[in-house]
Amino acid sequence: MKERLVVIPTYNEIENIEAIIRKVFSLPEPFDVLIVDDGSPDGTAQRVRDIQEEFLSTGTSQRGSMARLHLLERRGKLGLGTAYIDGFKWALSRGYQYLFEMDADFSHNPEDLIKLYRACAEDSPTRADVAVGSRYIKGVNVVNWPMGRVLMSYFAGVYVRFVTGMSIMDPTAGFVCYRAEVLEVILHNPIKFVGYAFQIEMKFTCWKYGFRIQEVPIIFTDRTRGVSKMSSKIFKEAVFGVLQMKISSFFRHYIPRRESAKKVEEPVNTV
């Protein structure tokens, strides 16, 4: 049961949280869920506590090892990046093998968790170490965004590819599956950013270490409930953070960590 965990950061998601949890647990394949809540004043964490007992494996207690819905509460709004990092560390310490990032607002379709999982779990020579739910790998698959935001997001990817050298079409994507061994490697060093730049930095670090990244096409649908957390500060962090990240990488030695990469002198970066 401790194979797949979906990490969902929340801040004031009372309108979405129960529905997204129930949708994940309704999938034909089993996923556990960890909600990382940053002290939401709207009662998001309490709503999670109210339904935790519904999602227990037969014959176990909530304190037992077979609970499927977990809650990690933090004091104050500490940022998306640190929420995911705390969630990943929590999951690794409990032996989960596949860890997922997903938003709480249904902009990511929970049914696509299965596609991301299979990209990382299928036994094949092209098995991914990191699977990215990509809005742009097959055209532009975004619903209900104003054209200005679509263009900003798309050309952010162009900018990131130009600066970093990665070929990932959707480097700011926040719907991702990581194999546990990937996170065990990259979290040894601090991840500095918290917004869009966090998502870019995670993918860039995976790429530099030689992990295989595969983009899986998804349809991204803008939230219909609640309030977006996007801000100009987060966008500026991404713009200037990418340059800072690239410059810092010149002074850091990345040792290839994928098993197949050990057979060659330089990392093979497949995106």
Side-chain angles (χ1 to χ4, degrees):
M1 290 296 294
K2 285 194 172 184
E3 184 183 38
R4 293 170 268 195
L5 181 76
V6 184
V7 180
I8 304 178
T10 56
Y11 184 77
N12 285 349
E13 290 290 355
I14 191 69
E15 297 176 86
N16 294 303
I17 192 60
E18 183 173 348
I20 197 74
I21 289 169
R22 293 190 183 280
K23 180 61 178 177
V24 172
F25 286 132
S26 74
L27 296 175
E29 298 190 22
F31 294 84
D32 289 1
V33 174
L34 171 65
I35 305 300
V36 183
D37 186 70
D38 274 7
S40 298
D42 70 348
T44 298
Q46 183 58 52
R47 181 64 59 85
V48 176
R49 285 192 292 271
D50 290 343
I51 64 174
Q52 274 185 302
E53 290 188 4
E54 292 186 40
F55 303 105
L56 300 172
S57 297
T58 304
T60 64
S61 69
Q62 187 172 336
R63 294 183 179 180
S65 61
M66 303 302 283
R68 298 186 59 203
L69 175 58
H70 308 277
L71 175 64
L72 178 60
E73 295 185 73
R74 308 196 307 167
R75 294 184 178 180
K77 195 173 181 181
L78 303 177
L80 179 73
T82 61
Y84 275 127
I85 290 170
D86 286 350
F88 291 154
K89 290 180 177 178
W90 184 97
L92 291 173
S93 72
R94 289 160 175 79
Y96 284 96
Q97 297 302 303
Y98 300 92
L99 288 79
F100 300 78
E101 297 181 2
M102 191 176 75
D103 290 347
D105 60 8
F106 283 94
S107 56
H108 303 139
N109 184 348
E111 294 180 4
D112 289 331
L113 288 167
I114 295 172
K115 293 197 296 185
L116 296 180
Y117 168 71
R118 289 176 178 170
C120 288
E122 288 183 348
D123 189 12
S124 72
T126 59
R127 182 179 67 179
D129 299 307
V130 181
V132 177
S134 178
R135 297 164 289 188
Y136 306 121
I137 192 64
K138 289 187 176 180
V140 177
N141 292 305
V142 178
V143 178
N144 293 337
W145 263 7
M147 182 56 66
R149 190 166 178 185
V150 173
L151 293 173
M152 181 180 71
S153 174
Y154 181 83
F155 284 105
V158 174
Y159 169 73
V160 170
R161 290 192 294 276
F162 175 76
V163 173
T164 64
M166 293 191 297
S167 59
I168 299 174
M169 290 298 296
D170 196 357
T172 63
F175 195 20
V176 185
C177 173
Y178 296 94
R179 294 175 61 86
E181 52 264 39
V182 174
L183 294 173
E184 287 169 352
V185 170
I186 68 174
L187 294 184
H188 277 301
N189 295 292
I191 301 297
K192 299 178 181 179
F193 300 113
V194 297
Y196 265 156
F198 164 79
Q199 301 292 2
I200 298 166
E201 186 178 8
M202 289 288 286
K203 296 173 185 67
F204 180 72
T205 305
C206 291
W207 179 70
K208 291 292 286 184
Y209 273 114
F211 290 111
R212 181 178 286 114
I213 304 171
Q214 178 180 334
E215 295 191 80
V216 176
I218 64 163
I219 296 175
F220 179 96
T221 304
D222 195 21
R223 66 163 66 232
T224 57
R225 297 179 179 179
V227 179
S228 172
K229 311 305 188 296
M230 174 57 65
S231 68
S232 59
K233 180 180 178 181
I234 291 173
F235 182 72
K236 289 178 182 177
E237 180 196 59
V239 172
F240 296 107
V242 170
L243 289 172
Q244 180 183 344
M245 181 184 69
K246 179 64 175 180
I247 293 169
S248 297
S249 72
F250 294 138
F251 304 96
R252 180 173 167 185
H253 183 53
Y254 298 87
I255 301 173
R257 302 302 292 264
R258 289 181 58 244
E259 290 182 2
S260 59
K262 294 178 183 177
K263 300 177 183 178
V264 295
E265 294 181 359
E266 296 294 334
V268 177
N269 299 319
T270 302
V271 177

